[in-house]
Amino acid sequence: MSGVGRGQVLRVRGRGVAWLPPLLLLVAITAIDYNTAAEFRMISWVVLVPGIAAATCGVAGTAVFAALALVTYVAADSSWPHQYQSGLPDFILAVLACAVRLRGERSMLHMRDVADTTRRTVLRPLPPVWGGLEHAEVYLAADSEARVGGDFYDIQPGPHGTRVLVGDVQGKGLGAVEETAALLGTFREAAYHEPALATVAERLEVRVRRHGGHVTALGHDDGDRFATAVLLGFPEADTGVVEAMVFGHEPPLVVGPSGVRPLLAAGGPPLGLGALSADGPPPVHRVPLGPGETVLLTSDGVTEARDPAGEFYALAGDPRAVEPRRLVALVRDGTLGHCGGHLLDDTTVFAVRRADERAGKGRRPS
């Protein structure tokens, strides 16, 4: 998702009013300067006008208000006796300070664009109906500036059905993003080529271990990362079931017109820790999935959301909100409302179900 333009920040009834705050400030400063004595140093205040414009308007608007502020200052300053003049050097210094600020802001916006591009590359955009599945998702970063974290999701159509992966890499920062990219790259290839869902899971397990070995060989101290995940398979030949494997992740729910039920009771260890389990990898469960039923998957940012009293959020679906977009919006709003908007961890809400014939198959292997 690209950054929001400055002119879109302030709108009234659909009209941009980003120019209004700097204009009102300029008028107010001029009026105060006219009605006060020398104690009011106009230069100390008029330089705020281009600064406010820089925060709300675009480049052209900022330039216009900088010119207006300069003209207003020169006209007002030359109208009073000589002893009341503040001096043009003060204004030049203020304009230079504003230029430095604008340069810093451009650098910050550039970094945000880089982060957005990275996120779109790792979490590629998905068509509303893809691989015969209707889906909706929302990603909420605990750090609003970071925009990229360890949560991941993807849908991969292929000759053996459509596979879905939702998960969360342990930890934060660029290391988590690198492992996320490695996992998703492996999933997109294995989910397309491998006939068995268990083989896809095995490829993911090996990828986590290989990536950890590479990171350790580079001398980094985060080579022991693991990832919790849910791996789903929607066989093309059997539309009445979903194949599921859970790797230490939050248990998925099935939300349908008749109510809400857990998809699975338990799962296996996270990806990357399979060697520590005496029972081996989790089995592939084939679970009946009725027409219109939606599978709801979340990261632990949902279940770890706390209210001011420290109580955790109780995740629950709503049979009245079976459609993926409505279901995702319901969980998102419930999570943010419970914690007052203060998320402790990156949060992903993902809902998926088989598309009906009216929505179309939407299946185009890639």
Side-chain angles (χ1 to χ4, degrees):
M1 181 172 57
S2 58
V4 179
R6 291 296 183 188
Q8 297 176 326
V9 174
L10 298 177
R11 304 185 72 85
V12 175
R13 294 183 179 178
R15 296 177 179 269
V17 293
W19 51 269
L20 190 56
L23 179 61
L24 292 177
L25 180 61
L26 181 60
V27 172
I29 290 172
T30 305
I32 294 173
D33 184 67
Y34 180 81
N35 291 284
T36 56
E39 288 76 11
F40 181 79
R41 290 176 57 85
M42 184 180 183
I43 186 63
S44 300
W45 296 93
V46 77
V47 295
L48 294 176
V49 173
I52 296 297
T56 60
C57 302
V59 175
T62 301
V64 169
F65 277 107
L68 280 176
L70 177 60
V71 171
T72 302
Y73 166 70
V74 172
D77 205 45
S78 60
S79 300
W80 316 133
H82 178 72
Q83 62 269 26
Y84 290 164
Q85 292 183 345
S86 302
L88 189 59
D90 288 349
F91 187 84
I92 294 176
L93 180 61
V95 171
L96 289 176
C98 184
V100 172
R101 178 181 178 276
L102 287 175
R103 182 176 180 180
E105 184 181 59
R106 285 195 296 270
S107 177
M108 180 194 69
L109 291 176
H110 174 69
M111 293 304 297
R112 289 182 63 180
D113 287 341
V114 170
D116 284 337
T117 301
T118 302
R119 181 181 169 192
R120 287 195 303 271
T121 301
V122 175
L123 299 178
R124 61 178 181 174
L126 297 170
V129 179
W130 185 232
L133 302 181
E134 181 185 0
H135 67 92
E137 60 279 327
V138 63
Y139 173 82
L140 304 173
D143 182 353
S144 60
E145 296 299 325
R147 294 168 135 8
V148 183
D151 287 7
F152 57 88
Y153 53 82
D154 200 13
I155 298 175
Q156 181 58 59
H160 311 289
T162 300
R163 274 73 184 262
V164 175
L165 180 68
V166 177
D168 180 9
V169 170
Q170 176 260 334
K172 299 181 181 295
L174 291 178
V177 176
E178 291 173 358
E179 184 159 322
T180 295
L183 265 174
L184 287 176
T186 298
F187 167 73
R188 289 160 187 164
E189 291 303 308
Y192 180 87
H193 292 286
E194 298 295 346
L197 192 68
T199 307
V200 178
E202 182 181 350
R203 294 273 301 272
L204 293 173
E205 172 72 22
V206 172
R207 188 69 184 99
V208 173
R209 295 203 303 266
R210 288 177 55 208
H211 180 77
H214 177 258
V215 170
T216 301
L218 290 174
H220 300 166
D221 58 0
D222 57 351
D224 57 349
R225 291 182 188 271
F226 58 85
T228 65
V230 176
L231 180 60
L232 302 179
F234 291 83
E236 195 170 66
D238 191 349
T239 60
V241 302
V242 58
E243 299 176 333
M245 302 178 73
V246 177
F247 301 88
H249 198 76
E250 299 296 322
L253 298 177
V254 176
V255 183
S258 59
V260 181
R261 58 184 171 87
L263 181 68
L264 294 177
L271 294 170
L273 301 181
L276 303 179
S277 173
D279 298 328
V284 177
H285 295 271
R286 290 176 59 86
V287 183
L289 197 64
E293 287 190 321
T294 298
V295 180
L296 173 65
L297 306 103
T298 65
S299 64
D300 55 8
V302 173
T303 53
E304 291 182 359
R306 301 192 185 194
D307 62 12
E311 296 294 330
F312 289 104
Y313 176 64
L315 174 63
D318 188 340
R320 295 169 298 178
V322 176
E323 194 269 330
R325 290 188 180 276
R326 290 187 61 192
L327 184 57
V328 165
L330 176 73
V331 176
R332 176 201 62 199
D333 295 345
T335 302
L336 292 176
H338 183 79
C339 67
H342 301 293
L343 296 170
L344 298 177
D345 197 359
D346 296 339
T347 301
T348 295
V349 184
F350 190 96
V352 60
R353 69 177 179 182
R354 290 189 183 271
D356 58 28
E357 294 298 329
R358 292 172 297 177
K361 289 294 183 183
R363 185 181 181 277
R364 186 177 65 230
S366 67

